[in-house]
Amino acid sequence: LLSSALACTLMRTYWPKNQAVYVCSPWISDFPVFDNRYGQFDALVPQARGASKIRLGAVLGALGALGPVRIVSKQTEATRQFLAAQEFSQRDVQVRLAGDELHEKGLLTPDFYLEGSMNLTYSGVHINQEKVSFHAGSDRPVVQRMAAAYAELNRRWDQLAQ
């Protein structure tokens, strides 16, 4: 689900102004998102062209070439390692670290909202039994849920700047 949803977002031809991609996870690691053995994702993530696996950091960098990406996390060893390994300087990717009270997890894009108990780590995505909800589409309840998520994450982002 995560790979398919991110691929669809990377295929956007229009990016809504002032709508960031929010990545909110207390723990983040650079796990493989796309199996690219046949080069089928090279056009979506050009900086990883030729790699057999495309990792989360490269996907976020590709999204940052389309529009703003805002990462909200906390100071964990996994997050520090993830951020240290990335080259986001040429992309619109920003990071704000919250305190230890951060427990919220979600991935919000103009196309979908994935929320629940899953951290964005290899274990969170592939091993642990997590409960997540996926919201996408143009039905009124979905649009309202995504608007509420944007309001909440924009508020949290602004609070972390202070």
Side-chain angles (χ1 to χ4, degrees), residues 47-120:
Q47 69 270 30
R49 185 177 308 278
S52 63
K53 294 182 189 289
I54 299 178
R55 298 183 166 279
L56 180 63
V59 172
L60 295 179
L63 286 167
L66 300 173
V69 174
R70 295 176 173 175
I71 300 171
V72 177
S73 190
K74 67 182 188 180
Q75 299 237 16
T76 64
E77 185 58 32
T79 301
R80 278 192 290 279
Q81 288 178 7
F82 171 76
L83 294 173
Q86 304 311 311
E87 179 52 53
F88 291 139
S89 63
Q90 301 299 315
R91 307 284 191 243
D92 190 359
V93 179
Q94 302 168 350
V95 179
R96 294 198 179 152
L97 298 175
D100 284 339
E101 71 281 355
L102 179 70
H103 193 68
E104 181 178 354
K105 298 152 190 111
L107 179 60
L108 177 62
T109 77
D111 298 314
F112 69 90
Y113 181 37
L114 181 67
E115 64 175 329
S117 64
M118 179 181 74
N119 282 298
L120 288 174

Side-chain angles (χ1 to χ4, degrees), residues 122-134:
Y122 181 84
S123 293
V125 173
H126 296 286
I127 297 173
N128 297 342
Q129 293 181 2
E130 305 287 357
K131 181 178 180 183
V132 295
S133 297
F134 183 77

Side-chain angles (χ1 to χ4, degrees), residues 20-35:
V21 167
Y22 276 102
V23 177
C24 187
S25 181
W27 291 271
I28 300 175
S29 66
D30 205 20
F31 63 92
V33 174
F34 299 130
D35 179 346

